[in-house]
Amino acid sequence: MIRVSNNAWRHTWALMWPVMLANLSLPLLGLVDTAVLGHLDDSVYLAGVALGASLIAFVFLGFNFLSMGLSGFTSQAKGADDARLIRTQLAQYCLVAALLSATVLAAQSVLIQMGLGFMQASEAATAEAHLYLSIRIWGVPAQVFTSMLLGFFVGMQNTRIALVTVSVAQLVNLVLNVTLVYGFGMTTDGIALGTVISEYLALALVLLTLRRTLKHLSPGLDAGRLKALAAYAGIFSVSLSLFIRTFLLLMGFAWFNRLSAALGDTVLASNAILLAFLTLISNSMDASAAAAEAQVGLAIGQRDPQALREVLWTTGWCAFGLAFALTLVFALLGNNLLGILTSQPDLQQQAGTYLPWVVAMPLLAGTAYWLDGVFIGARLTAQMRNGVVFGFFSFVLASQWLPATQQALWLGFSLLFIGRSLWMLAVYWHSVRPMTQTR
């Protein structure tokens, strides 16, 4: 039994709750979008947005390696009290983010066609997805920079900025989406346009906070490091593992949507509703990961094994408690939420049949979400990648052997999370726990 001070518990919770509330606004907005489209007279709009959202996630979440990498570097630099390094690494990441955003915008036509070709959905759903993507793609620079800078603030032990920024932006998004669809008669295009506008609002709010934060850091920037390509080796080494890890996770969701589309638009739409619940779960669990990555990196930077033990204990138990609470919520309220999200009886019945998979998911995946934060703080990004590789190929191989039914599809999909959790637990036991031993 580890003795943990009350201050350690309070600090972990202080880092967790702003991230949890901020992250909840993202899937809640997705649930609102699902409800808006789910009450229209044709499920093709919901199916199209589900396809488009899963593909745009390759860009937005695919570049999430910038946020995770900058968070880990920043927390360790802060632990070492090196303001010059903090500023320099932030500038380096901003240059990389600008280059990647420009590349995506320049290649948008090719990327959209390739993505929709891979999904192989019905002609009507593909047309709606193309409309959605042609608008959402213009929000790439705002989303990439906002996500990256929020990672910087996590590394600086400031998670409240995420709550303020995301909450305000998503409230605007909610109002815009409802207004554009019901007030102006738009459908898929209204959802996409409202989201892009809110993304640039979020970036503006984050930049204002960044300006205030940098004023409190000692001045100084390593200009030579910004210009030397060799100075980016560490960033790209960490980023490559994180990119592969995120890309394979997104491929897992895209593969799930592709197999759903092969079973028909009703299955695709019902699974889109259940995936909205899963997004709610993952964003909630990310709070424990954020608290872990901020504190683990700080403890390692300070070379403090006792602090690291406390961080692992508090964040681990908080992650377990949160996973249990989410399972309970969906077990008790899941069917009621389905009735709110869609008025179409066939979708309600279809989604309700497979709701138990969502109920079980927090306990199946909770360990992996928590250890993501631990591994980011410890900069064990290669092992994060390997865990996802194991889980992803477990899912893909299972999908080739299992029958082509919705039940079998969810069984195979769960292996993506189970395999990832088991791999990361083994690495944690052999690589992270020894760091807590006093030498």
Side-chain angles (χ1 to χ4, degrees):
M1 180 73 175
I2 296 176
R3 301 188 66 145
V4 179
S5 67
N6 290 333
N7 285 338
W9 286 107
R10 281 195 292 267
H11 185 57
T12 293
W13 179 243
L15 290 171
M16 279 184 61
W17 73 261
V19 175
M20 191 177 350
L21 292 182
N23 283 1
L24 280 174
S25 71
L26 295 171
L28 285 176
L29 177 69
L31 292 176
V32 171
D33 290 349
T34 301
V36 170
L37 297 174
H39 284 81
L40 297 180
D41 56 3
D42 196 330
S43 65
V44 70
Y45 302 119
L46 182 55
V49 169
L51 284 177
S54 69
L55 290 173
I56 202 69
F58 270 91
V59 179
F60 292 156
L61 297 180
F63 289 163
N64 202 34
F65 67 86
L66 295 171
S67 172
M68 292 186 288
L70 182 56
S71 173
F73 278 118
T74 301
S75 63
Q76 292 200 14
K78 181 176 174 61
D81 197 23
D82 192 340
R84 181 182 176 88
L85 181 58
I86 291 174
R87 284 178 172 271
T88 302
Q89 288 175 340
L90 173 62
Q92 287 179 297
Y93 268 88
C94 285
L95 290 175
V96 173
L99 176 62
L100 292 175
S101 297
T103 301
V104 169
L105 291 181
Q108 61 177 282
S109 179
V110 174
L111 293 174
I112 290 173
Q113 291 299 331
M114 287 177 57
L116 292 176
F118 170 79
M119 299 306 289
Q120 297 183 356
S122 69
E123 184 176 345
T126 298
E128 291 299 321
H130 189 281
L131 174 62
Y132 178 84
L133 290 169
S134 65
I135 298 172
R136 280 297 308 275
I137 199 76
W138 292 102
V140 165
Q143 182 67 21
V144 169
F145 271 91
T146 299
S147 174
M148 182 192 71
L149 293 175
L150 290 178
F152 168 77
F153 286 116
V154 169
M156 293 294 291
Q157 312 289 298
N158 177 10
T159 57
R160 296 194 182 192
I161 177 56
L163 173 60
V164 175
T165 302
V166 176
S167 297
V168 172
Q170 298 308 328
L171 179 61
V172 172
N173 194 349
L174 187 156
V175 173
L176 284 173
N177 288 359
V178 173
T179 301
L180 291 173
V181 172
Y182 288 115
F184 291 86
M186 301 173 76
T187 54
T188 304
D189 51 347
I191 296 294
L193 180 59
T195 302
V196 170
I197 293 172
S198 72
E199 285 166 344
Y200 280 97
L201 173 61
L203 177 59
L205 293 173
V206 169
L207 290 175
L208 287 174
T209 305
L210 178 64
R211 182 182 178 186
R212 292 195 298 269
T213 301
L214 293 179
K215 286 182 178 180
H216 296 289
L217 283 178
S218 301
L221 194 68
D222 189 344
R225 185 167 179 166
L226 289 179
K227 299 176 183 177
L229 290 178
Y232 291 81
I235 291 176
F236 283 109
S237 175
V238 170
S239 297
L240 179 61
S241 292
L242 291 173
F243 176 78
I244 293 172
R245 169 255 183 202
T246 304
F247 178 80
L248 287 179
L249 274 179
L250 293 171
M251 277 297 296
F253 279 85
W255 186 251
F256 179 83
N257 278 322
R258 180 183 179 180
L259 296 177
S260 298
L263 296 175
D265 283 352
T266 299
V267 171
L268 177 60
S270 66
N271 278 347
I273 295 174
L274 295 175
L275 285 182
F277 289 163
L278 186 57
T279 303
L280 182 67
I281 290 168
S282 64
N283 281 28
S284 299
M285 293 299 303
D286 193 50
S288 62
E293 68 189 66
Q295 295 182 90
V296 167
L298 187 68
I300 292 175
Q302 294 172 337
R303 302 180 183 276
D304 188 341
Q306 173 60 28
L308 182 57
R309 281 196 296 272
E310 291 190 353
V311 168
L312 295 174
W313 186 263
T314 57
T315 57
W317 276 108
C318 285
F320 175 77
L322 188 55
F324 182 79
L326 288 167
T327 291
L328 192 60
V329 166
F330 281 101
L332 296 176
L333 302 177
N335 284 306
N336 294 329
L337 291 173
L338 290 176
I340 296 173
L341 291 181
T342 179
S343 58
Q344 299 180 34
D346 55 338
L347 288 184
Q348 287 185 29
Q349 181 179 5
Q350 191 86 2
T353 301
Y354 304 100
L355 180 63
W357 288 105
V358 174
V359 173
M361 202 58 73
L363 297 176
L364 296 177
T367 299
Y369 289 126
W370 167 58
L371 288 178
D372 274 348
V374 173
F375 284 21
I376 290 169
R379 289 169 62 178
L380 294 173
T381 52
Q383 293 296 346
M384 283 179 65
R385 175 202 63 206
N386 294 343
V388 174
V389 169
F390 181 67
F392 172 75
F393 283 106
S394 297
F395 169 37
V396 172
L397 291 175
S399 68
Q400 301 305 301
W401 290 94
L402 293 170
T405 65
Q406 194 170 0
Q407 191 75 263
L409 178 56
W410 275 99
L411 173 60
F413 189 51
S414 68
L415 295 178
L416 172 63
F417 302 95
I418 296 171
R420 180 178 159 206
S421 294
L422 292 176
W423 182 282
M424 295 179 76
L425 268 176
V427 174
Y428 170 82
W429 192 262
H430 289 96
S431 299
V432 179
R433 285 185 74 255
M435 297 182 189
T436 65
Q437 305 303 312
T438 304
R439 296 175 182 174

